[in-house]
């Protein structure tokens, strides 16, 4: 069930923010750790996981397939692999990770597994992973569009082998297949054929975590991934703070000329911290890594940028909000695939930024944004947590920005409204 809509007026900054923020773990890492733990030969622990709607749905889905998952601990979850079996029903909510990572697991199970989710989830692209699974021996029924609802009829094993996929719509198509590949009888040779795969850092996270679990992975050839069949070992997964979730907090430092430190940030990360740091620097911030974490300092100059965001498309809404507040025009491109995210993010951003007074030109793969005198408005969030983040960032500098629903931030950060208000007001 989706949360009841909660209208919310974004707080206006009264001066430079100054805060150290402690955020929950990465959604992407938590989701991958859950899947790899469910497929392992022994128990695992996930340290500092993200406890939010997407990751709870992933845990619930794996539980429905038979995995024992104890999420009662405040700082760690315990996973005990069990034989995967149906019948089962999996609610994917609006989570791309669940709808792309769990069906390959279900194809390894013995029994029938049904997948469905929120109404808009039926519009999110899924056909490439369905067709790839069929080519690998899975028995799947899908909607006429190739997406949800899905029915996977598992026999307790999946042959695997070679598959060709167009993953230009989402890197999750590749990650979902790779995460389960070692458990296939023949492993997997997966080849991408199409326009570039977006969000490449997420693919590197997948292969890093597979190797950490003991899988033999070869990704040396461009657009080809080979995973050999074999066991996966239980792990103690250390989940990093969520970089995408940190973006609006860092943006607050840029907008207000303040300082925000993300505590607990590791010096060696599996997330694309270098790309985010480069973007924030171009926009006019100083970014530094210290023993206390990752720090962003606003310089009082917010500059427009020309940026290819294909590797960090999750950041597009927050970067677009910063562009609307900048002192010169921006061009954001390389993100055609985010039209298939929680909402069509390009179209949604064009509508809402125009509503608050920015000049916006929508392109198939991005936006041109010209700052203008911004005004109070009701900002539609489209049940999309990243749209809510964008509205909150604009609300730092523009009084009267009201979000139609801030409850959608529970998808990845239930504490967002309280954390944000504390950051802005110093409370």
């Amino acid at each position: 069930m989706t949360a009841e809509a909660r209208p919310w007026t974004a707080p206006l900054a009264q001066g430079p923010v100054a805060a150290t923020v402690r955020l929950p773990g990465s959604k992407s890492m938590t989701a991958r750790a859950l899947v790899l733990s469910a497929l392992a030969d022994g128990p695992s622990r996930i340290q500092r996981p993200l406890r939010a709607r997407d990751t709870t749905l992933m845990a619930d889905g794996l539980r429905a397939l038979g995995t024992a998952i104890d999420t009662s601990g405040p700082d760690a979850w315990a996973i005990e692999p069990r034989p995967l079996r149906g019948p089962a029903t999996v609610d994917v909510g609006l989570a791309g990770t669940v709808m792309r990572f769990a069906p390959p697991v279900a194809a390894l199970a013995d029994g029938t597994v049904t997948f469905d989710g929120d109404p808009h989830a039926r519009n999110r692209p899924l056909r490439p992973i369905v067709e790839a699974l069929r080519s690998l021996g899975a028995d799947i029924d899908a909607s006429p569009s190739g997406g949800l609802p899905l029915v996977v009829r598992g026999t307790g094993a999946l042959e695997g082998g070679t598959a060709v996929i167009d993953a230009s719509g989402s890197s999750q198509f590749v990650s979902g297949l790779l995460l389960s590949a070692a458990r296939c009888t023949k492993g997997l040779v997966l080849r991408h054929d199409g326009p570039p795969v977006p969000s490449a850092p997420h693919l590197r996270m997948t292969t890093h975590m597979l190797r950490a679990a003991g899988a033999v992975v070869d990704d040396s050839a461009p657009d080809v991934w080979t995973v050999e069949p074999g066991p996966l070992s239980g792990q103690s997964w250390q989940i990093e703070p969520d970089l995408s979730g940190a973006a609006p907090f860092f943006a607050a430092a840029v907008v207000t000329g303040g300082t925000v430190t993300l505590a607990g940030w590791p010096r060696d990360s599996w997330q694309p911290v270098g790309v985010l740091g480069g973007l924030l620097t171009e926009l006019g911030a100083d970014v530094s890594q210290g023993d206390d974490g990752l720090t962003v300092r606003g310089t009082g100059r917010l500059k427009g940028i020309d940026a290819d965001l294909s590797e960090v498309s999750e950041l597009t809404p927050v970067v677009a909000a910063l562009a609307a507040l900048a002192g010169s025009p921006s061009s954001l491109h390389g993100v055609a695939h985010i039209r298939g995210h929680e909402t069509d993010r390009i179209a949604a951003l064009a509508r809402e930024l125009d509503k608050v007074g920015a000049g916006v030109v929508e392109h198939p793969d991005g936006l041109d944004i010209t700052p203008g005198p911004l005004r109070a408005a009701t900002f539609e969030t489209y049940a999309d947590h990243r749209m809510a983040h964008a509205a909150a960032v604009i609300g730092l500098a523009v009084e009267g920005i009201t979000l139609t629903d801030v409850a959608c931030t529970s998808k990845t950060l239930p504490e967002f409204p309280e954390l944000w208000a504390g950051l802005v007001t110093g409370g």
Side-chain angles (χ1 to χ4, degrees):
M1 294 289 293
T2 55
E4 184 178 348
R6 177 184 163 193
W8 185 71
T9 299
L12 181 72
Q14 300 301 315
V17 300
T20 294
V21 179
R22 294 185 179 276
L23 294 183
S26 160
K27 176 193 76 171
S28 300
M29 290 184 69
T30 303
R32 285 160 174 78
L34 281 167
V35 172
L36 291 171
S37 298
L39 296 175
D41 286 350
S44 295
R45 286 179 68 80
I46 303 178
Q47 308 286 345
R48 291 186 53 80
L50 171 67
R51 190 186 300 272
R53 187 176 187 231
D54 279 17
T55 52
T56 299
L57 287 170
M58 180 69 86
D60 288 346
L62 295 170
R63 231 185 244 120
L65 289 166
T67 305
I69 303 177
D70 181 358
T71 58
S72 63
D75 298 314
W77 293 352
I79 298 92
E80 184 76 40
R82 303 277 172 79
L84 300 168
R85 45 109 185 110
T89 299
V90 176
D91 177 7
V92 309
L94 196 50
T97 47
V98 183
M99 71 178 68
R100 279 87 180 243
F101 293 3
V105 179
L108 295 166
D110 186 4
T112 298
V113 184
T114 301
F115 293 84
D116 207 354
D118 295 358
H120 185 72
R122 295 188 174 191
N123 300 326
R124 299 197 69 179
L126 200 53
R127 182 187 295 275
I129 203 166
V130 170
E131 293 180 346
L133 284 170
R134 285 173 175 158
S135 75
L136 296 170
D139 180 0
I140 304 180
D141 290 341
S143 72
S145 67
L148 296 170
L150 291 182
V151 178
V152 182
R153 299 181 182 86
T155 60
L158 186 63
E159 183 177 23
T162 299
V164 179
I165 189 172
D166 179 353
S168 58
S170 175
S171 65
Q172 291 174 350
F173 297 148
V174 175
S175 289
L177 292 166
L178 295 183
L179 287 167
S180 294
R183 289 286 307 275
C184 293
T185 306
K186 295 181 178 178
L188 176 65
V189 178
L190 183 63
R191 181 167 63 84
H192 163 67
D193 184 10
V197 182
S199 304
H202 283 97
L203 293 178
R204 292 192 288 272
M205 178 187 293
T206 298
T207 55
H208 285 321
M209 294 182 73
L210 274 165
R211 291 186 179 110
V216 178
V217 183
D218 182 357
D219 58 353
S220 58
D223 291 333
V224 180
W225 301 266
T226 301
V227 181
E228 296 185 11
L232 298 171
S233 59
Q235 300 291 311
S236 179
W237 296 104
Q238 304 292 328
I239 306 300
E240 301 173 2
D242 192 284
L243 187 66
S244 296
F249 296 92
F250 289 149
V254 182
V255 171
T256 68
T259 302
V260 171
T261 297
L262 177 58
W265 189 260
R267 289 189 179 274
D268 294 319
S269 171
W270 288 348
Q271 298 178 80
V273 63
V275 181
L276 173 60
L279 283 170
L280 293 173
T281 299
E282 283 189 63
L283 284 158
D286 290 328
V287 182
S288 60
Q289 170 81 56
D291 292 337
D292 53 347
L294 188 66
T295 298
V296 175
R297 294 178 177 84
T299 61
R301 302 182 309 276
L302 182 47
K303 302 176 290 187
I305 59 171
D306 185 333
D308 180 343
L309 300 179
S310 58
E311 288 206 347
V312 286
S313 59
E314 286 284 336
L315 304 181
T316 303
V318 165
V319 174
L322 289 171
L325 297 169
S328 56
S330 294
S331 178
L332 311 178
H333 43 91
V335 290
H337 63 287
I338 70 172
R339 292 187 181 277
H341 280 200
E342 284 79 348
T343 187
D344 179 339
R345 284 179 174 165
I346 294 176
L349 285 165
R351 282 192 294 269
E352 302 311 309
L353 293 178
D354 175 76
K355 192 185 295 182
V356 300
V360 185
V361 177
E362 180 180 344
H363 298 289
D365 75 332
L367 300 163
D368 292 336
I369 300 170
T370 301
L374 301 189
R375 56 181 177 265
T378 297
F379 200 102
E380 175 65 51
T381 55
Y382 305 88
D384 186 339
H385 56 149
R386 305 297 183 202
M387 291 296 294
H389 295 166
V393 169
I394 291 172
L396 291 167
V398 181
E399 188 171 10
I401 299 295
T402 299
L403 287 64
T404 57
D405 177 30
V406 76
C408 63
T409 57
S410 67
K411 177 179 169 64
T412 49
L413 185 57
E415 310 93 326
F416 177 79
E418 293 73 28
L419 285 171
W420 188 259
L423 171 76
V424 177
T425 64

